[in-house]
Amino acid sequence: MITVDCREVPSIKSSLAVYTSDKVGAVPALKIHEFILAPIEDEEISPTEVITAVKMFLASLGCERHFAVIQRNNVIAIVSLDGYKLESFPQGKTDQFFSCIHCGHVTQFETVHNNHMKIHYL
């Protein structure tokens, strides 16, 4: 599992999690200031692929020169080089996602999330 620290780019955390997980073939689990990528199968996730995906996403926003992507063990942090702040990032209908703390299931619908959580307590 790899953790991506998004403390300095909170406005793109959800979109970055979706993009990165799609590029590396992992399951994302959102947290308050970070997201975790878990492998779909027993194979390990390459930190190099995650870093490349994060840099590609920042480049697509045109702000790659303002941020460094640094790896420390299994934590990848996005750090501002010059104090640049991403004020807002245009989202679709919602940027609210609900993530299961037990298995990482992600949905944008609270009722689906609540029903999913019940299966863990049967």
Side-chain angles (χ1 to χ4, degrees), residues 47-69:
T48 306
E49 289 180 15
V50 175
I51 291 170
T52 301
V54 170
K55 287 181 178 181
M56 287 173 51
F57 187 81
L58 292 172
S60 73
L61 298 176
C63 60
E64 71 277 8
R65 69 180 182 275
H66 298 290
F67 294 98
V69 182

Side-chain angles (χ1 to χ4, degrees), residues 18-26 49 53 56:
V18 171
Y19 179 84
T20 306
S21 65
D22 186 46
K23 287 291 185 186
V24 301
E49 289 180 15
M56 287 173 51

Side-chain angles (χ1 to χ4, degrees), residues 13 41 45 50 52 54 58 73-74 99 107 112 114 116 120:
K13 179 184 68 173
E41 295 179 3
I45 299 171
V50 175
T52 301
V54 170
L58 292 172
N73 298 327
N74 284 337
S99 176
T107 182
V112 172
N114 291 339
H116 171 83
H120 292 291

